Amino acid sequence: MASTLEAPAAVEPAAPPRPARRGPVRKVAGQAAALLRRTAAIVALLAVWELAPRAGLVDRTFLPPLSEIVPALWELARDGRLWSNTEASLTRSLTGFALAIVVAVPLGLLIGWYRPVAELLGPLLELFRNTAAIALLPVFILILGIGETSKVAIVLYACTWPILLNTISAVRTVDPTLVKAARSLGLPVPRIFQKVVLPAAVPTVFTGIRLAGATAVLVMIVAEMVGAKEGLGHLINASQQNFAIQDMYAGIIAISVIGLLFNHLLVLIERRFTRGQASVRR
């Protein structure tokens, strides 16, 4: 009787092990560690602020501990002075900031795209870009008065330059290969500008807008210190003159928080407009 040989069964390759899922505890721990890394420097600064006056390293008359500033900040918020002054400052700074965007972005696109316009306006831009906005504040007050118009105008002037210069640079640094490819496809100039130049220029334009956002707050505070009856700059200046040191530092903290929130809002808007493009490290 002939013996039959059975073929060995094929051995299936073992499936690669699945990576272990991170448990919720490890996920929360990772998020907490990331938050700690981002806030460690701020926490250290606040700790130094609290401990240095108490240890006698600085005169607590002129730099009170943070624990004495927080009640003053709460009192300003409770009696409404913080909100009324903040509203006045934000109204002025946001108005000038918005007008700067409306003026500087189209002008920057025009100068960056058309060389004759750049050659015509270039010397004038170089003259004014090197003139500090704060140095021109007395001129704005003399011409426009001490009211709201001069304050909005100085913010407009100061915010125009970072937006304008970054917009010009954004248009001029667009990859020429992309422009040549669009022209080879027969696209008209307006379509090339819309489909190629503008999308490539958006990240750099927003860099200028974010710089202008910080400038708007700082210039507004200085302008309010010179001549204003309300605003965070007026609050800080009046508190310093009346030797209300806690209120002065409370106003400074309020300005820092507003600047931080404003910058974060601009980052969110930038991500919305640059979605789908290569992410830029900040």
Side-chain angles (χ1 to χ4, degrees):
M1 184 175 180
S3 60
T4 58
L5 297 177
E6 296 182 356
V11 180
E12 296 183 357
R18 295 182 178 179
R21 292 185 176 180
R22 296 180 62 183
V25 177
R26 292 184 60 187
K27 185 176 180 181
V28 172
Q31 294 176 349
L35 180 62
L36 180 62
R37 287 193 299 269
R38 294 178 179 178
T39 59
I42 297 178
V43 172
L45 174 63
L46 297 180
V48 171
W49 188 353
E50 176 67 26
L51 297 176
R54 295 186 180 279
L57 300 178
V58 294
D59 191 344
R60 64 186 300 163
T61 303
F62 304 107
L63 182 63
L66 182 63
S67 57
E68 297 180 8
I69 306 298
V70 174
L73 182 63
W74 171 255
E75 181 63 25
L76 288 174
R78 190 182 64 83
D79 62 18
R81 285 185 293 165
L82 179 64
W83 309 122
S84 60
N85 287 288
T86 299
E87 181 182 1
S89 295
L90 285 180
T91 301
R92 297 162 180 160
S93 58
L94 291 179
T95 302
F97 176 70
L99 290 175
I101 294 177
V102 172
V103 171
V105 172
L107 183 59
L109 295 174
L110 189 64
I111 294 174
W113 185 249
Y114 294 104
R115 185 172 297 275
V117 180
E119 294 175 351
L120 176 65
L121 298 180
L124 188 63
L125 297 180
E126 290 297 326
L127 174 63
F128 281 101
R129 65 174 288 193
N130 294 305
T131 304
I134 301 303
L136 293 177
L137 180 57
V139 179
F140 280 89
I141 293 177
L142 286 174
I143 296 176
L144 302 175
I146 203 170
E148 299 298 313
T149 305
S150 61
K151 296 176 179 57
V152 173
I154 194 66
V155 174
L156 166 62
Y157 177 85
C159 292
T160 295
W161 299 110
I163 301 175
L164 179 63
L165 297 177
N166 275 271
T167 303
I168 295 173
S169 175
V171 175
R172 291 179 176 175
T173 55
V174 173
D175 190 353
T177 306
L178 297 177
V179 179
K180 292 179 181 178
R183 286 175 177 170
S184 65
L185 295 175
L187 291 179
V189 174
R191 295 289 292 175
I192 295 175
F193 193 80
Q194 177 187 1
K195 295 297 183 180
V196 178
V197 176
L198 283 181
V202 165
T204 306
V205 172
F206 263 98
T207 300
I209 291 176
R210 289 175 60 188
L211 292 173
T215 302
V217 177
L218 296 177
V219 172
M220 187 70 263
I221 297 305
V222 175
E224 290 175 343
M225 288 181 175
V226 173
K229 295 182 179 180
E230 59 179 351
L232 291 175
H234 168 72
L235 173 65
I236 294 173
N237 194 40
S239 300
Q240 185 267 337
Q241 292 177 354
N242 297 325
F243 212 72
I245 304 300
Q246 287 82 0
D247 290 350
M248 182 188 74
Y249 282 107
I252 294 173
I253 292 176
I255 293 170
S256 300
V257 173
I258 290 172
L260 183 65
L261 294 177
F262 191 29
N263 180 74
H264 183 65
L265 176 62
L266 292 177
V267 170
L268 295 179
I269 298 175
E270 178 184 1
R271 290 176 180 173
R272 171 66 180 84
F273 277 93
T274 58
R275 185 175 299 172
Q277 298 183 12
S279 60
V280 180
R281 285 195 173 187
R282 293 176 176 84

CSV table of all heavy atoms in Angstrom, one decimal, residues 64-123:
chain,number,residue,atom,x,y,z
A,64,PRO,N,5.8,95.8,45.4
A,64,PRO,CA,5.1,95.0,46.4
A,64,PRO,C,5.0,93.6,46.0
A,64,PRO,O,5.1,93.2,44.8
A,64,PRO,CB,3.7,95.6,46.5
A,64,PRO,CG,3.8,97.0,45.8
A,64,PRO,CD,4.9,96.8,44.8
A,65,PRO,N,4.9,92.6,46.9
A,65,PRO,CA,4.7,91.2,46.5
A,65,PRO,C,3.4,91.0,45.7
A,65,PRO,O,2.5,91.8,45.8
A,65,PRO,CB,4.6,90.5,47.9
A,65,PRO,CG,5.2,91.4,48.9
A,65,PRO,CD,4.9,92.8,48.4
A,66,LEU,N,3.5,90.0,44.9
A,66,LEU,CA,2.3,89.7,44.0
A,66,LEU,C,1.0,89.5,44.8
A,66,LEU,O,-0.1,89.9,44.3
A,66,LEU,CB,2.6,88.5,43.2
A,66,LEU,CG,1.5,88.1,42.1
A,66,LEU,CD1,1.4,89.2,41.1
A,66,LEU,CD2,1.9,86.8,41.5
A,67,SER,N,1.1,89.0,46.0
A,67,SER,CA,-0.1,88.7,46.8
A,67,SER,C,-0.7,90.0,47.2
A,67,SER,O,-1.9,90.0,47.6
A,67,SER,CB,0.3,87.9,48.1
A,67,SER,OG,1.3,88.6,48.8
A,68,GLU,N,0.0,91.2,47.2
A,68,GLU,CA,-0.6,92.4,47.5
A,68,GLU,C,-1.2,93.1,46.2
A,68,GLU,O,-2.0,94.1,46.3
A,68,GLU,CB,0.4,93.4,48.1
A,68,GLU,CG,0.9,92.8,49.5
A,68,GLU,CD,1.9,93.8,50.1
A,68,GLU,OE1,2.1,94.9,49.6
A,68,GLU,OE2,2.5,93.4,51.2
A,69,ILE,N,-0.7,92.7,45.0
A,69,ILE,CA,-1.2,93.2,43.8
A,69,ILE,C,-2.6,92.6,43.4
A,69,ILE,O,-3.5,93.3,42.9
A,69,ILE,CB,-0.2,93.0,42.7
A,69,ILE,CG1,1.2,93.5,43.1
A,69,ILE,CG2,-0.7,93.7,41.4
A,69,ILE,CD1,1.2,95.0,43.4
A,70,VAL,N,-2.7,91.3,43.6
A,70,VAL,CA,-4.0,90.7,43.2
A,70,VAL,C,-5.2,91.3,43.9
A,70,VAL,O,-6.2,91.5,43.2
A,70,VAL,CB,-3.9,89.1,43.5
A,70,VAL,CG1,-5.2,88.4,43.2
A,70,VAL,CG2,-2.7,88.5,42.7
A,71,PRO,N,-5.2,91.6,45.2
A,71,PRO,CA,-6.4,92.2,45.8
A,71,PRO,C,-6.7,93.6,45.2
A,71,PRO,O,-7.8,94.0,45.0
A,71,PRO,CB,-6.0,92.4,47.3
A,71,PRO,CG,-5.0,91.3,47.5
A,71,PRO,CD,-4.2,91.2,46.3
A,72,ALA,N,-5.6,94.3,44.8
A,72,ALA,CA,-5.8,95.6,44.2
A,72,ALA,C,-6.4,95.5,42.8
A,72,ALA,O,-7.3,96.2,42.4
A,72,ALA,CB,-4.5,96.4,44.0
A,73,LEU,N,-6.0,94.4,42.1
A,73,LEU,CA,-6.6,94.1,40.8
A,73,LEU,C,-8.1,93.8,40.9
A,73,LEU,O,-8.9,94.2,40.1
A,73,LEU,CB,-5.8,93.0,40.1
A,73,LEU,CG,-6.3,92.6,38.7
A,73,LEU,CD1,-6.1,93.8,37.7
A,73,LEU,CD2,-5.5,91.4,38.2
A,74,TRP,N,-8.4,93.0,41.9
A,74,TRP,CA,-9.8,92.6,42.2
A,74,TRP,C,-10.6,93.8,42.5
A,74,TRP,O,-11.8,93.9,42.1
A,74,TRP,CB,-9.8,91.5,43.3
A,74,TRP,CG,-11.2,91.2,43.7
A,74,TRP,CD1,-11.8,91.6,44.9
A,74,TRP,CD2,-12.2,90.5,43.0
A,74,TRP,NE1,-13.1,91.2,45.0
A,74,TRP,CE2,-13.3,90.4,43.8
A,74,TRP,CE3,-12.2,89.8,41.8
A,74,TRP,CZ2,-14.5,89.8,43.5
A,74,TRP,CZ3,-13.4,89.1,41.4
A,74,TRP,CH2,-14.5,89.1,42.3
A,75,GLU,N,-10.1,94.7,43.3
A,75,GLU,CA,-10.8,95.9,43.7
A,75,GLU,C,-11.1,96.8,42.5
A,75,GLU,O,-12.2,97.3,42.4
A,75,GLU,CB,-10.0,96.7,44.8
A,75,GLU,CG,-10.7,97.9,45.3
A,75,GLU,CD,-12.0,97.6,46.0
A,75,GLU,OE1,-12.2,96.4,46.5
A,75,GLU,OE2,-12.9,98.5,46.1
A,76,LEU,N,-10.1,96.9,41.6
A,76,LEU,CA,-10.3,97.7,40.4
A,76,LEU,C,-11.4,97.1,39.5
A,76,LEU,O,-12.2,97.8,38.9
A,76,LEU,CB,-9.0,97.8,39.6
A,76,LEU,CG,-7.9,98.7,40.2
A,76,LEU,CD1,-6.7,98.6,39.4
A,76,LEU,CD2,-8.4,100.2,40.2
A,77,ALA,N,-11.4,95.8,39.5
A,77,ALA,CA,-12.5,95.1,38.7
A,77,ALA,C,-13.8,95.2,39.4
A,77,ALA,O,-14.9,95.4,38.7
A,77,ALA,CB,-12.1,93.6,38.5
A,78,ARG,N,-13.9,95.1,40.7
A,78,ARG,CA,-15.1,95.2,41.4
A,78,ARG,C,-15.8,96.5,41.3
A,78,ARG,O,-17.0,96.6,41.2
A,78,ARG,CB,-14.9,94.8,42.9
A,78,ARG,CG,-16.2,94.6,43.7
A,78,ARG,CD,-15.8,94.3,45.1
A,78,ARG,NE,-15.2,95.4,45.8
A,78,ARG,CZ,-15.9,96.5,46.3
A,78,ARG,NH1,-17.3,96.5,46.2
A,78,ARG,NH2,-15.3,97.5,46.8
A,79,ASP,N,-15.0,97.6,41.4
A,79,ASP,CA,-15.7,98.9,41.4
A,79,ASP,C,-15.8,99.5,39.9
A,79,ASP,O,-16.3,100.6,39.8
A,79,ASP,CB,-14.9,100.0,42.2
A,79,ASP,CG,-13.5,100.2,41.7
A,79,ASP,OD1,-13.2,99.8,40.6
A,79,ASP,OD2,-12.6,100.7,42.5
A,80,GLY,N,-15.4,98.7,38.9
A,80,GLY,CA,-15.7,99.0,37.5
A,80,GLY,C,-14.6,99.9,36.9
A,80,GLY,O,-14.7,100.1,35.6
A,81,ARG,N,-13.6,100.3,37.6
A,81,ARG,CA,-12.6,101.2,37.0
A,81,ARG,C,-11.8,100.4,36.0
A,81,ARG,O,-11.4,100.9,34.9
A,81,ARG,CB,-11.7,101.8,38.1
A,81,ARG,CG,-12.3,102.9,38.8
A,81,ARG,CD,-11.3,103.5,39.8
A,81,ARG,NE,-10.9,102.6,40.8
A,81,ARG,CZ,-9.8,102.7,41.6
A,81,ARG,NH1,-9.0,103.7,41.4
A,81,ARG,NH2,-9.6,101.8,42.6
A,82,LEU,N,-11.5,99.1,36.3
A,82,LEU,CA,-10.7,98.3,35.4
A,82,LEU,C,-11.4,98.2,34.0
A,82,LEU,O,-10.8,98.3,33.0
A,82,LEU,CB,-10.4,97.0,36.0
A,82,LEU,CG,-9.6,96.0,35.1
A,82,LEU,CD1,-8.2,96.5,34.9
A,82,LEU,CD2,-9.5,94.6,35.8
A,83,TRP,N,-12.7,97.9,34.1
A,83,TRP,CA,-13.5,97.6,32.8
A,83,TRP,C,-13.7,98.9,32.0
A,83,TRP,O,-13.6,98.8,30.8
A,83,TRP,CB,-14.8,97.0,33.2
A,83,TRP,CG,-14.7,95.8,34.1
A,83,TRP,CD1,-15.3,95.7,35.3
A,83,TRP,CD2,-14.0,94.6,33.9
A,83,TRP,NE1,-15.0,94.5,35.9
A,83,TRP,CE2,-14.1,93.8,35.1
A,83,TRP,CE3,-13.1,94.1,32.9
A,83,TRP,CZ2,-13.5,92.5,35.2
A,83,TRP,CZ3,-12.5,92.9,33.0
A,83,TRP,CH2,-12.7,92.1,34.1
A,84,SER,N,-14.0,100.0,32.7
A,84,SER,CA,-14.2,101.2,31.9
A,84,SER,C,-12.9,101.7,31.2
A,84,SER,O,-12.9,102.1,30.1
A,84,SER,CB,-14.7,102.3,32.8
A,84,SER,OG,-13.8,102.6,33.9
A,85,ASN,N,-11.7,101.6,31.9
A,85,ASN,CA,-10.5,102.0,31.3
A,85,ASN,C,-10.0,101.0,30.3
A,85,ASN,O,-9.5,101.4,29.2
A,85,ASN,CB,-9.4,102.1,32.4
A,85,ASN,CG,-9.6,103.3,33.3
A,85,ASN,OD1,-9.3,104.4,32.9
A,85,ASN,ND2,-10.0,103.1,34.5
A,86,THR,N,-10.3,99.7,30.5
A,86,THR,CA,-10.0,98.7,29.5
A,86,THR,C,-10.8,98.9,28.2
A,86,THR,O,-10.3,98.8,27.1
A,86,THR,CB,-10.2,97.3,30.0
A,86,THR,OG1,-9.4,97.1,31.1
A,86,THR,CG2,-9.9,96.2,29.0
A,87,GLU,N,-12.1,99.2,28.4
A,87,GLU,CA,-12.9,99.5,27.2
A,87,GLU,C,-12.4,100.7,26.4
A,87,GLU,O,-12.4,100.6,25.2
A,87,GLU,CB,-14.4,99.7,27.7
A,87,GLU,CG,-15.3,100.0,26.5
A,87,GLU,CD,-16.7,100.2,27.0
A,87,GLU,OE1,-16.9,100.3,28.2
A,87,GLU,OE2,-17.6,100.5,26.2
A,88,ALA,N,-12.0,101.7,27.1
A,88,ALA,CA,-11.5,102.9,26.4
A,88,ALA,C,-10.2,102.6,25.6
A,88,ALA,O,-10.1,103.0,24.5
A,88,ALA,CB,-11.3,104.0,27.4
A,89,SER,N,-9.3,101.9,26.2
A,89,SER,CA,-8.1,101.5,25.6
A,89,SER,C,-8.3,100.6,24.4
A,89,SER,O,-7.7,100.8,23.3
A,89,SER,CB,-7.1,100.9,26.6
A,89,SER,OG,-6.7,101.8,27.6
A,90,LEU,N,-9.1,99.6,24.6
A,90,LEU,CA,-9.4,98.6,23.5
A,90,LEU,C,-10.1,99.3,22.3
A,90,LEU,O,-9.8,99.0,21.1
A,90,LEU,CB,-10.2,97.5,24.0
A,90,LEU,CG,-9.5,96.4,24.9
A,90,LEU,CD1,-10.4,95.3,25.3
A,90,LEU,CD2,-8.3,95.8,24.1
A,91,THR,N,-11.0,100.2,22.6
A,91,THR,CA,-11.7,100.9,21.5
A,91,THR,C,-10.7,101.7,20.6
A,91,THR,O,-10.8,101.6,19.4
A,91,THR,CB,-12.8,101.8,22.1
A,91,THR,OG1,-13.7,101.1,22.8
A,91,THR,CG2,-13.5,102.5,20.9
A,92,ARG,N,-9.8,102.4,21.3
A,92,ARG,CA,-8.9,103.2,20.5
A,92,ARG,C,-7.9,102.3,19.8
A,92,ARG,O,-7.6,102.5,18.6
A,92,ARG,CB,-8.1,104.1,21.5
A,92,ARG,CG,-9.0,105.1,22.2
A,92,ARG,CD,-8.3,105.7,23.4
A,92,ARG,NE,-9.1,106.7,24.1
A,92,ARG,CZ,-8.9,107.1,25.4
A,92,ARG,NH1,-7.9,106.5,26.1
A,92,ARG,NH2,-9.7,108.0,25.9
A,93,SER,N,-7.3,101.3,20.5
A,93,SER,CA,-6.3,100.5,19.8
A,93,SER,C,-6.8,99.6,18.7
A,93,SER,O,-6.2,99.5,17.7
A,93,SER,CB,-5.6,99.6,20.9
A,93,SER,OG,-6.5,98.8,21.6
A,94,LEU,N,-8.0,99.1,18.9
A,94,LEU,CA,-8.6,98.2,17.9
A,94,LEU,C,-9.0,99.0,16.7
A,94,LEU,O,-8.9,98.5,15.5
A,94,LEU,CB,-9.8,97.4,18.5
A,94,LEU,CG,-9.4,96.3,19.5
A,94,LEU,CD1,-10.7,95.6,20.0
A,94,LEU,CD2,-8.5,95.3,18.9
A,95,THR,N,-9.5,100.2,16.9
A,95,THR,CA,-9.9,101.1,15.7
A,95,THR,C,-8.7,101.4,14.9
A,95,THR,O,-8.7,101.3,13.7
A,95,THR,CB,-10.5,102.4,16.2
A,95,THR,OG1,-11.7,102.0,17.0
A,95,THR,CG2,-11.0,103.2,15.1
A,96,GLY,N,-7.6,101.8,15.5
A,96,GLY,CA,-6.4,102.1,14.8
A,96,GLY,C,-5.8,100.9,14.1
A,96,GLY,O,-5.3,101.0,13.0
A,97,PHE,N,-5.8,99.8,14.8
A,97,PHE,CA,-5.3,98.5,14.3
A,97,PHE,C,-6.1,98.1,13.1
A,97,PHE,O,-5.5,97.7,12.1
A,97,PHE,CB,-5.4,97.5,15.4
A,97,PHE,CG,-4.9,96.1,15.0
A,97,PHE,CD1,-3.6,95.8,14.7
A,97,PHE,CD2,-5.9,95.1,14.9
A,97,PHE,CE1,-3.2,94.5,14.3
A,97,PHE,CE2,-5.5,93.8,14.5
A,97,PHE,CZ,-4.2,93.5,14.2
A,98,ALA,N,-7.4,98.1,13.1
A,98,ALA,CA,-8.2,97.7,12.0
A,98,ALA,C,-8.0,98.7,10.8
A,98,ALA,O,-7.9,98.2,9.6
A,98,ALA,CB,-9.7,97.7,12.4
A,99,LEU,N,-7.9,100.0,11.1
A,99,LEU,CA,-7.6,100.9,10.0
A,99,LEU,C,-6.3,100.6,9.3
A,99,LEU,O,-6.1,100.8,8.1
A,99,LEU,CB,-7.7,102.3,10.5
A,99,LEU,CG,-9.1,102.8,10.8
A,99,LEU,CD1,-9.0,104.2,11.5
A,99,LEU,CD2,-10.0,102.8,9.6
A,100,ALA,N,-5.3,100.3,10.1
A,100,ALA,CA,-4.0,99.9,9.6
A,100,ALA,C,-4.0,98.7,8.7
A,100,ALA,O,-3.3,98.7,7.6
A,100,ALA,CB,-3.0,99.7,10.8
A,101,ILE,N,-4.8,97.7,9.0
A,101,ILE,CA,-4.9,96.6,8.2
A,101,ILE,C,-5.5,96.9,6.8
A,101,ILE,O,-5.1,96.5,5.8
A,101,ILE,CB,-5.7,95.5,8.9
A,101,ILE,CG1,-5.0,94.9,10.1
A,101,ILE,CG2,-6.0,94.3,7.9
A,101,ILE,CD1,-5.7,93.9,10.9
A,102,VAL,N,-6.6,97.8,6.9
A,102,VAL,CA,-7.3,98.2,5.7
A,102,VAL,C,-6.4,99.0,4.8
A,102,VAL,O,-6.5,98.9,3.6
A,102,VAL,CB,-8.6,99.0,6.1
A,102,VAL,CG1,-9.2,99.6,4.8
A,102,VAL,CG2,-9.6,98.1,6.8
A,103,VAL,N,-5.5,99.8,5.4
A,103,VAL,CA,-4.7,100.6,4.6
A,103,VAL,C,-3.4,99.9,4.1
A,103,VAL,O,-3.0,99.9,2.9
A,103,VAL,CB,-4.3,101.9,5.4
A,103,VAL,CG1,-3.2,102.7,4.6
A,103,VAL,CG2,-5.5,102.8,5.6
A,104,ALA,N,-2.7,99.2,5.0
A,104,ALA,CA,-1.4,98.7,4.8
A,104,ALA,C,-1.4,97.4,3.9
A,104,ALA,O,-0.5,97.2,3.1
A,104,ALA,CB,-0.7,98.4,6.1
A,105,VAL,N,-2.4,96.5,4.1
A,105,VAL,CA,-2.4,95.3,3.3
A,105,VAL,C,-2.5,95.5,1.8
A,105,VAL,O,-1.7,95.1,1.0
A,105,VAL,CB,-3.4,94.3,3.8
A,105,VAL,CG1,-3.5,93.1,2.9
A,105,VAL,CG2,-3.0,93.8,5.2
A,106,PRO,N,-3.6,96.3,1.3
A,106,PRO,CA,-3.7,96.6,-0.1
A,106,PRO,C,-2.5,97.4,-0.6
A,106,PRO,O,-2.0,97.1,-1.7
A,106,PRO,CB,-5.0,97.4,-0.2
A,106,PRO,CG,-5.8,97.0,1.0
A,106,PRO,CD,-4.7,96.8,2.1
A,107,LEU,N,-2.0,98.3,0.1
A,107,LEU,CA,-0.9,99.1,-0.3
A,107,LEU,C,0.4,98.3,-0.4
A,107,LEU,O,1.2,98.4,-1.4
A,107,LEU,CB,-0.6,100.3,0.7
A,107,LEU,CG,0.5,101.3,0.3
A,107,LEU,CD1,0.2,101.9,-1.1
A,107,LEU,CD2,0.7,102.3,1.4
A,108,GLY,N,0.6,97.4,0.5
A,108,GLY,CA,1.8,96.5,0.5
A,108,GLY,C,1.7,95.5,-0.7
A,108,GLY,O,2.7,95.2,-1.3
A,109,LEU,N,0.5,95.0,-1.0
A,109,LEU,CA,0.3,94.1,-2.2
A,109,LEU,C,0.6,94.9,-3.4
A,109,LEU,O,1.3,94.4,-4.4
A,109,LEU,CB,-1.1,93.6,-2.2
A,109,LEU,CG,-1.5,92.6,-1.0
A,109,LEU,CD1,-2.9,92.2,-1.1
A,109,LEU,CD2,-0.6,91.4,-1.0
A,110,LEU,N,0.2,96.1,-3.5
A,110,LEU,CA,0.4,96.9,-4.7
A,110,LEU,C,1.9,97.3,-4.9
A,110,LEU,O,2.5,97.1,-6.0
A,110,LEU,CB,-0.4,98.2,-4.6
A,110,LEU,CG,-0.5,99.1,-5.8
A,110,LEU,CD1,-1.2,98.4,-6.9
A,110,LEU,CD2,-1.2,100.4,-5.5
A,111,ILE,N,2.6,97.6,-3.8
A,111,ILE,CA,4.0,98.0,-3.9
A,111,ILE,C,4.8,96.7,-4.2
A,111,ILE,O,5.8,96.8,-5.0
A,111,ILE,CB,4.5,98.6,-2.6
A,111,ILE,CG1,3.8,100.0,-2.4
A,111,ILE,CG2,6.0,98.8,-2.6
A,111,ILE,CD1,4.1,100.6,-1.0
A,112,GLY,N,4.5,95.6,-3.6
A,112,GLY,CA,5.2,94.4,-3.8
A,112,GLY,C,5.1,93.8,-5.2
A,112,GLY,O,6.0,93.1,-5.7
A,113,TRP,N,3.9,94.1,-5.8
A,113,TRP,CA,3.6,93.4,-7.1
A,113,TRP,C,4.1,94.3,-8.3
A,113,TRP,O,4.5,93.8,-9.3
A,113,TRP,CB,2.2,93.1,-7.2
A,113,TRP,CG,1.8,92.3,-8.4
A,113,TRP,CD1,1.0,92.8,-9.5
A,113,TRP,CD2,2.1,91.0,-8.8
A,113,TRP,NE1,0.8,91.8,-10.4
A,113,TRP,CE2,1.5,90.7,-10.0
A,113,TRP,CE3,2.8,90.0,-8.1
A,113,TRP,CZ2,1.6,89.5,-10.6
A,113,TRP,CZ3,2.9,88.8,-8.7
A,113,TRP,CH2,2.3,88.5,-10.0
A,114,TYR,N,3.9,95.6,-8.2
A,114,TYR,CA,4.2,96.5,-9.3
A,114,TYR,C,5.4,97.3,-8.9
A,114,TYR,O,5.4,98.2,-8.0
A,114,TYR,CB,3.0,97.5,-9.5
A,114,TYR,CG,1.8,96.8,-10.0
A,114,TYR,CD1,0.7,96.5,-9.2
A,114,TYR,CD2,1.7,96.4,-11.3
A,114,TYR,CE1,-0.5,95.9,-9.6
A,114,TYR,CE2,0.5,95.7,-11.8
A,114,TYR,CZ,-0.5,95.5,-10.9
A,114,TYR,OH,-1.6,94.8,-11.4
A,115,ARG,N,6.5,97.1,-9.7
A,115,ARG,CA,7.8,97.8,-9.5
A,115,ARG,C,7.7,99.3,-9.6
A,115,ARG,O,8.3,100.0,-8.9
A,115,ARG,CB,8.8,97.2,-10.4
A,115,ARG,CG,10.2,97.7,-10.1
A,115,ARG,CD,11.2,96.9,-10.9
A,115,ARG,NE,11.3,95.5,-10.5
A,115,ARG,CZ,12.0,95.1,-9.5
A,115,ARG,NH1,12.7,95.9,-8.8
A,115,ARG,NH2,12.0,93.8,-9.2
A,116,PRO,N,7.0,99.8,-10.6
A,116,PRO,CA,6.9,101.3,-10.7
A,116,PRO,C,6.3,102.0,-9.5
A,116,PRO,O,6.8,103.0,-9.1
A,116,PRO,CB,6.0,101.5,-11.9
A,116,PRO,CG,6.2,100.3,-12.8
A,116,PRO,CD,6.3,99.2,-11.8
A,117,VAL,N,5.3,101.3,-8.9
A,117,VAL,CA,4.8,101.9,-7.6
A,117,VAL,C,5.8,101.8,-6.5
A,117,VAL,O,6.0,102.8,-5.7
A,117,VAL,CB,3.5,101.1,-7.2
A,117,VAL,CG1,3.0,101.7,-5.9
A,117,VAL,CG2,2.5,101.2,-8.3
A,118,ALA,N,6.6,100.7,-6.5
A,118,ALA,CA,7.6,100.6,-5.4
A,118,ALA,C,8.7,101.7,-5.6
A,118,ALA,O,9.2,102.3,-4.7
A,118,ALA,CB,8.3,99.2,-5.5
A,119,GLU,N,9.1,101.9,-6.9
A,119,GLU,CA,10.1,102.9,-7.1
A,119,GLU,C,9.6,104.3,-6.8
A,119,GLU,O,10.4,105.2,-6.4
A,119,GLU,CB,10.6,102.9,-8.6
A,119,GLU,CG,11.3,101.6,-8.9
A,119,GLU,CD,11.6,101.5,-10.4
A,119,GLU,OE1,11.1,102.4,-11.2
A,119,GLU,OE2,12.3,100.5,-10.8
A,120,LEU,N,8.3,104.6,-7.0
A,120,LEU,CA,7.8,105.9,-6.7
A,120,LEU,C,7.7,106.1,-5.2
A,120,LEU,O,8.0,107.2,-4.7
A,120,LEU,CB,6.4,106.0,-7.3
A,120,LEU,CG,5.6,107.3,-7.0
A,120,LEU,CD1,6.4,108.5,-7.6
A,120,LEU,CD2,4.2,107.2,-7.6
A,121,LEU,N,7.2,105.1,-4.4
A,121,LEU,CA,6.9,105.3,-3.0
A,121,LEU,C,8.0,104.9,-2.1
A,121,LEU,O,8.0,105.1,-0.9
A,121,LEU,CB,5.6,104.6,-2.6
A,121,LEU,CG,4.3,105.0,-3.3
A,121,LEU,CD1,3.2,104.1,-2.8
A,121,LEU,CD2,4.1,106.5,-3.1
A,122,GLY,N,9.0,104.2,-2.7
A,122,GLY,CA,10.1,103.6,-1.8
A,122,GLY,C,10.8,104.7,-1.0
A,122,GLY,O,11.0,104.5,0.2
A,123,PRO,N,11.3,105.8,-1.6
A,123,PRO,CA,12.0,106.8,-0.7
A,123,PRO,C,11.2,107.3,0.4
A,123,PRO,O,11.7,107.6,1.5
A,123,PRO,CB,12.4,107.8,-1.8
A,123,PRO,CG,12.4,107.1,-3.1
A,123,PRO,CD,11.4,106.1,-3.0
